[in-house]
Amino acid sequence: MNTVASYLERVEDEPPTPNGAAIPAMQHPHATPDPSMPGDRHPSPPLATIPVLLLLGFAVVSIIAILLTTARHFDDGEAQRTTQRVTRMVAGSQAFLGLVLRDYAGWDAAVTHVVEKLDTVWADENIGVYLSGGYRLSISMVVDRGGQVIYGVEDGKRMSPSRMRDIGLPETMRRMIDHTVAALPGTTEVATGVVHMGDALYLTGVADIRPGLGGPSRDDGVVLIFMQKLDRVAVARILDPLLLDNIDIVTQPVALDERARLPLAAFGSAPGEPPIGWIGWRAPRPAQDFLAGIYWVLALVIMVLFVLTAHLLSRAQRAALREAGMNEALLQLSGRYRGLIDALPDMVCLMSEGRVSLINAAGLSMLGLDSSNAAQVVGRPFLDLVAEDDRLIFHRAMQVRGRPGIDWVALRLGGRGGEPVPVELAVVPVLGEPLGEMTLVARDRRPELARRETLRAAETRAAVADRAKGQFLANISHELRTPLNAIIGFSEILRDELLGPLGVPQYKEYAIDIHEGGLHLLRLVNDLLDIARMDAGALELRESWVEVAPLIERCERLLRQKAAERGVPVRLDISPPGLRVLVDEMRLKQIVVNLLGNAIRFSGSGQVVVIAVRLDGPTGDMLIDVADHGIGMNVEAMRIALEPFAQVEGGHNRRQPGAGLGLPLAKGYAEAHGGGLTMQSTPAVGTTVTVRLPAGRVAEAPKRA
């Protein structure tokens, strides 16, 4: 279009002929003037223009109508989806409050320190002031069966006795208390919902405090109540991921102009009962807002389109009467070439006899100039644009021109202010032109050099961070092992009553729990230390020749009770017998225990787990296969499972217990022995994990004569 417009401007500026018609600057030599050409340089538009404009107007109106209709339908759907998202976000906050409440109401310590005897100091530290800050609770209360508040914290401060006496529980909260108290014996059932108390709305959870193992409701029991105030700030925080505007919450049915509303029903309210509040927000209208934001652009484009169409149609018809087709084609071709060259991001320079005869916009920009300063470059020797230290490189590039292919050389051009610009330069002769004409193409290397520098800096930071992580894990692991060893040692003394009887049987049970927990933490710390050593490449192995079959059998015996509890049969298949391997026995045992434990954990009752030991025929490597027929995994889940501290979502949408170090440790130990670990798994079919130890570490039993 720029070429056409420039051509029309040239026609307007051409000198008129005696009869008023314009003559093209490069008219065809055999062209003759058209006797039908009118003398007026601006004749009225021909009649053919009017139908074209009407058709164009109808098309524009149709497009606008389609855009508006589509935008309205799209915005309606977006509003519905937003309402669904708001509903899910509010329900998620309510569910999260219920989960937190269930954990504290089903805590055995809560029964001891709240139900049996109210310990306000314990309550402050565990369900009072602590939770107010940790979970943004506005109010947390303990209420007896008569509905009287016996302990409460409001806005991070313990309630006074007068305040607790003055609190009147609304009917909705009493229904929630009756619901949780009437729950069947077992785990505490939580009642959650929105409650209107005073002049505010609260996201409330109520749960009867019962032991962790469950049990019936006690006549002298109490209920635990958590309340989060639903004001504008709280609702905006809940809905923050949705990026909504004008979020508000009201308790009266006032008009919310141009806003969507989500009614909030009270817990246990009857069907048809009016809501106790509404969450309101501005209904998103992305499509209509977008169209409204660019309507002036559309109007301007339409106006320009109509004017330009009428103008071009009129001028094209007048220009068609002139015999300047060849000149127009040449002008268009020249404009296209110039536009193509200017659109290139690299410098393109035409050099004749060593001097610049043409340079594109990118080349001028590379030299720190704009198109208005092209005269400062055109006509100068290109050598003047090269940095003095790199002119010898330019001379060599000129000497090798004409070879097959394109040779790129690195040099610097003199930019504005004397700062050199690093480029890659190629010299290409112009075919069919006099000798001495050639094209220079230069690529700006500054972005590439900046990217390389950024990449080097990022790699350096990553290496430093990786070393810091490994050092931190090693240091913290060593720091934790000292107190853990003390805990384990003292708990053994208490457990075995080495210094005399404890007197109360529960103390010995607690000592056993402390000892087992300390051993578990020590194993976890050792695993963390091994992970850090693996990352640092400093894992040491205490190698010895180990009989494979007895080791596998010992691992199976360790997990036999766990397998029996889950109803999972374990089968061993070791062939050939008498295999020995040169390994760190403790770490090979941990590999087998981790893999077998995972297989049992993710298998259902009656699903067989098989441990097979075999030799790989082509390589002589020893392979240990642990196969199950459990829930299985997809490719992404297997990738996550092999990462430290990562866990894959288990069956029934429940995360399995553990720190997520079993498979990464097994893989690291196998690789430390020069082998590896691979997985094959199919969802709902099962998983097979294979540990490979190199043939150099394997020795078979001598064959009998």
Side-chain angles (χ1 to χ4, degrees):
M1 184 176 290
N2 293 334
T3 304
V4 176
S6 62
Y7 166 72
L8 295 176
E9 291 175 359
R10 289 173 180 264
V11 174
E12 284 286 347
D13 296 337
E14 289 166 359
T17 58
N19 61 355
I23 300 178
M26 297 179 62
Q27 189 172 358
H28 195 279
H30 301 290
T32 57
D34 189 348
S36 63
M37 191 70 175
D40 189 4
R41 296 193 61 183
H42 300 284
S44 59
L47 295 180
T49 304
I50 298 176
V52 173
L53 293 179
L54 291 177
L55 183 61
L56 181 61
F58 176 78
V60 170
V61 171
S62 300
I63 293 174
I64 292 175
I66 292 173
L67 286 176
L68 292 176
T69 303
T70 304
R72 187 176 297 109
H73 283 290
F74 179 85
D75 289 345
D76 291 342
E78 186 64 20
Q80 294 178 1
R81 289 189 291 272
T82 301
T83 301
Q84 295 173 357
R85 296 187 190 107
V86 170
T87 303
R88 289 196 295 268
M89 295 292 286
V90 174
S93 298
Q94 182 173 326
F96 177 75
L97 181 62
L99 289 175
V100 174
L101 181 58
R102 178 179 285 109
D103 289 341
Y104 282 89
W107 190 9
D108 291 340
V111 178
T112 303
H113 295 281
V114 177
V115 180
E116 297 178 356
K117 180 182 178 181
L118 179 59
D119 184 352
T120 56
V121 176
W122 183 93
D124 286 341
E125 294 177 350
N126 293 276
I127 63 174
V129 179
Y130 169 77
L131 290 181
S132 297
Y135 293 98
R136 294 190 177 96
L137 295 181
S138 303
I139 300 175
S140 57
M141 299 184 296
V142 176
V143 180
D144 60 17
R145 291 290 184 265
Q148 179 61 41
V149 180
I150 61 175
Y151 170 83
V153 172
E154 184 174 12
D155 296 332
K157 298 179 181 179
R158 190 196 297 177
M159 294 182 183
S160 63
S162 60
R163 172 58 178 161
M164 290 190 292
R165 287 193 303 269
D166 294 338
I167 290 181
L169 303 183
E171 183 61 25
T172 303
M173 191 177 295
R174 292 184 179 275
R175 289 198 298 263
M176 298 171 73
I177 293 174
D178 294 339
H179 177 80
T180 184
V181 170
L184 295 175
T187 304
T188 299
E189 182 173 352
V190 179
T192 58
V194 179
V195 174
H196 188 190
M197 191 171 74
D199 58 350
L201 295 176
Y202 292 86
L203 185 62
T204 305
V206 179
D208 186 24
I209 299 179
R210 299 184 184 181
L213 297 178
S217 174
R218 296 171 46 161
D219 295 334
D220 61 341
V222 295
V223 295
L224 183 61
I225 301 175
F226 289 169
M227 302 178 68
Q228 291 180 343
K229 189 174 183 179
L230 290 178
D231 53 11
R232 182 179 299 176
V233 175
V235 174
R237 183 171 59 248
I238 293 174
L239 304 182
D240 182 67
L242 301 181
L243 303 177
L244 300 177
D245 296 328
N246 300 334
I247 298 175
D248 199 0
I249 182 168
V250 295
T251 58
Q252 300 296 329
V254 297
L256 301 173
D257 297 336
E258 298 182 359
R259 288 194 287 178
R261 292 187 290 180
L262 176 66
L264 301 175
F267 180 85
S269 59
E273 186 175 342
I276 61 174
W278 293 264
I279 294 177
W281 64 91
R282 179 181 178 273
R285 300 185 306 174
Q288 297 183 52
D289 290 344
F290 175 77
L291 293 179
I294 64 169
Y295 77 94
W296 60 274
V297 177
L298 295 176
L300 181 61
V301 170
I302 293 172
M303 184 182 300
V304 172
L305 184 61
F306 273 95
V307 174
L308 187 60
T309 301
H311 180 68
L312 291 180
L313 287 174
S314 176
R315 297 298 299 274
Q317 289 190 5
R318 289 200 304 268
L321 300 176
R322 304 183 182 95
E323 296 181 359
M326 184 179 295
N327 183 52
E328 181 180 4
L330 292 175
L331 291 175
Q332 290 180 358
L333 184 60
S334 175
R336 289 177 180 176
Y337 281 142
R338 181 67 197 191
L340 177 62
I341 294 175
D342 285 338
L344 293 175
D346 299 332
M347 171 190 284
V348 177
C349 177
L350 184 62
M351 188 175 65
S352 177
E353 301 297 335
R355 295 182 178 272
V356 177
S357 59
L358 182 145
I359 188 169
N360 66 342
L364 293 173
S365 176
M366 197 176 299
L367 298 173
L369 304 173
D370 54 27
S371 57
S372 62
N373 303 119
Q376 299 181 17
V377 178
V378 176
R380 290 180 57 187
F382 189 85
L383 187 63
D384 293 348
L385 306 179
V386 181
E388 293 186 5
D389 297 340
D390 295 341
R391 292 183 178 179
L392 181 59
I393 300 176
F394 178 73
H395 281 299
R396 292 175 179 173
M398 294 292 293
Q399 293 173 0
V400 300
R401 67 184 185 273
R403 293 181 180 178
I406 299 178
D407 295 325
W408 295 88
V409 296
L411 50 79
R412 295 170 298 167
L413 300 179
R416 173 175 289 183
E419 182 178 356
V421 179
V423 299
E424 284 185 332
L425 183 73
V427 181
V428 182
V430 179
L431 300 179
E433 296 294 332
L435 186 64
E437 285 222 359
M438 48 194 60
T439 302
L440 303 181
V441 181
R443 297 174 179 172
D444 193 346
R445 298 183 61 211
R446 287 177 294 184
E448 177 188 355
L449 296 177
R451 285 193 297 270
R452 290 181 181 178
E453 186 62 28
T454 302
L455 181 59
R456 282 196 295 269
E459 291 175 348
T460 302
R461 289 195 299 270
V464 171
D466 189 62
R467 288 195 298 271
K469 180 197 71 174
Q471 184 177 2
F472 170 77
L473 284 176
N475 290 340
I476 197 64
S477 299
H478 282 296
E479 292 296 329
L480 288 174
R481 291 176 70 178
T482 300
L484 281 176
N485 287 329
I487 292 172
I488 294 170
F490 288 132
S491 63
E492 286 180 354
I493 294 174
L494 295 175
R495 181 196 63 188
D496 300 334
E497 298 180 339
L498 297 178
L499 302 180
L502 298 178
V504 181
Q506 286 82 354
Y507 288 161
K508 185 172 183 179
E509 296 177 2
Y510 295 157
I512 293 173
D513 293 339
I514 294 172
H515 183 262
E516 292 179 352
L519 290 177
H520 176 73
L521 287 176
L522 183 60
R523 287 193 294 270
L524 181 58
V525 169
N526 290 333
D527 290 345
L528 288 173
L529 187 58
D530 281 349
I531 287 291
R533 288 169 176 167
M534 290 176 189
D535 290 342
L539 183 65
E540 297 181 359
L541 300 178
R542 298 180 179 179
E543 299 177 341
S544 61
W545 286 100
V546 179
E547 293 284 345
V548 176
L551 184 141
I552 299 295
E553 292 171 356
R554 288 197 300 271
C555 295
E556 187 272 336
R557 283 196 299 271
L558 284 175
L559 298 173
R560 184 174 298 170
Q561 182 178 357
K562 178 180 178 181
E565 291 174 355
R566 297 185 59 88
V568 177
V570 178
R571 191 174 73 241
L572 305 182
D573 183 8
I574 303 175
S575 177
L579 281 177
R580 294 188 304 154
V581 287
L582 180 62
V583 294
D584 187 324
E585 181 177 1
M586 181 186 69
R587 291 194 167 99
L588 180 58
K589 180 179 178 181
Q590 189 170 355
I591 290 174
V592 178
V593 169
N594 288 347
L595 299 183
L596 181 56
N598 283 345
I600 294 173
R601 184 187 310 160
F602 291 100
S603 296
S605 178
Q607 295 178 334
V608 180
V609 173
V610 179
I611 305 179
V613 179
R614 56 190 173 89
L615 293 178
D616 187 9
T619 62
D621 296 345
M622 189 184 78
L623 305 179
I624 303 175
D625 297 329
V626 180
D628 64 68
H629 299 83
I631 59 176
M633 293 181 286
N634 55 27
V635 176
E636 179 64 17
M638 287 191 288
R639 183 189 66 79
I640 295 174
L642 290 173
E643 295 179 358
F645 310 106
Q647 280 192 340
V648 182
E649 290 296 332
H652 310 294
N653 296 326
R654 179 178 64 85
R655 290 179 63 87
Q656 295 291 340
L661 297 177
L663 281 174
L665 279 173
K667 182 174 181 292
Y669 291 154
E671 292 174 350
H673 286 84
L677 182 146
T678 58
M679 297 179 64
Q680 293 180 348
S681 184
T682 303
V685 175
T687 303
T688 299
V689 182
T690 300
V691 176
R692 178 183 293 270
L693 296 177
R697 292 180 173 271
V698 182
E700 296 187 51
K703 298 181 180 180
R704 296 180 179 179

